[in-house]
Amino acid sequence: MTGPANDDDTVIIKKYANRRLYNTRSSSYITLDHLAQMTREGINYKVLDAKSGSDITHTILTQIIMEEESNGEQMLPVNFLRELIGMYGNSMQSLIPHYLEASMDNFRANQAKLRKAFETSLGNNPLAKLAEQNMAMFKAAASAFMPGAEKTETPAPTPTPSAGSADDLSALREQMAEMQKRLDQLGK
């Protein structure tokens, strides 16, 4: 769940003795999978015991994590879990929740920075750039197989990631032109 929310924005979920969860906003029964999806979507909710009215959101969120971990989506390393269990009853126990929240906030901020850096380094559409490079290479190869094509049509400039690849491309063009000459001679 993301940050504190107004009580108006919080969806109330009631958990009944028969272990069923009831979404009071949509007036429907839901499952832990629904709650997991709501969490991923950033929907704030509070789970209340239907009989006592006590807030059991923490217990339900822990149950969701256990379900995710048991379904093969293991994200928590065994050593981390052992260390976490070892912290219960420890004098540092009260500091752990604040530390974990701060760590998750830092992780989220770094994740956003990394995503932004990745997008700006590759441009907004890296597939378009790859397609452009592939088209330029295709035109270069086509002009090598058709000797008169270069004179009638100016090929698009070939992107050159490094000077070595430009030399390699011109060497390939020369080799292909030589092969075309040999093929022409064989055809006579």
Side-chain angles (χ1 to χ4, degrees), residues 16 19 23 36 61 74 87 127 132 135 153 156:
Y16 289 94
R19 300 176 66 190
N23 183 333
L61 290 173
Q74 295 178 347
M87 290 291 180
L127 294 177
E132 183 180 328
M135 190 54 116
E153 180 184 327

Side-chain angles (χ1 to χ4, degrees), residues 4 17 38 46 51-52 57 74 82 86 90 98 108 115 118 121 126 134-135 139 150 153 162 164-165 167 169 175 180:
M38 289 171 65
K46 183 187 289 189
K51 187 174 183 180
S52 68
T57 307
Q74 295 178 347
R82 288 184 179 159
N90 187 320
H98 303 293
R108 206 175 299 115
R115 184 179 304 125
F118 183 72
S121 70
N134 287 342
M135 190 54 116
K139 285 181 181 178
E150 242 180 70
E153 180 184 327
S162 66
S165 64
D167 294 338
L169 187 58
Q175 288 176 356
Q180 182 64 40

Side-chain angles (χ1 to χ4, degrees), residues 157-178:
T158 306
T160 55
S162 66
S165 64
D167 294 338
D168 292 343
L169 187 58
S170 61
L172 284 173
R173 283 183 182 165
E174 290 174 12
Q175 288 176 356
M176 290 176 75
E178 182 63 33

Side-chain angles (χ1 to χ4, degrees), residues 78-138:
V78 172
N79 286 336
F80 173 79
L81 293 171
R82 288 184 179 159
E83 291 289 328
L84 191 61
I85 291 168
M87 290 291 180
Y88 283 95
N90 187 320
S91 62
M92 301 293 281
Q93 179 179 345
S94 64
L95 298 176
I96 297 299
H98 303 293
Y99 174 77
L100 291 176
E101 280 184 9
S103 295
M104 188 55 77
D105 289 342
N106 285 335
F107 177 78
R108 206 175 299 115
N110 287 335
Q111 185 182 26
K113 288 177 189 174
L114 182 63
R115 184 179 304 125
K116 185 176 180 181
F118 183 72
E119 286 174 356
T120 53
S121 70
L122 292 179
N124 289 337
N125 191 349
L127 294 177
K129 287 188 177 206
L130 286 175
E132 183 180 328
Q133 288 175 349
N134 287 342
M135 190 54 116
M137 289 180 2
F138 177 74

Side-chain angles (χ1 to χ4, degrees), residues 30-49:
I30 60 172
T31 64
L32 286 178
D33 288 337
H34 289 109
L35 287 179
Q37 186 61 35
M38 289 171 65
T39 303
R40 287 183 191 100
E41 292 172 0
I43 298 171
N44 290 308
Y45 58 87
K46 183 187 289 189
V47 183
L48 302 176
D49 183 271

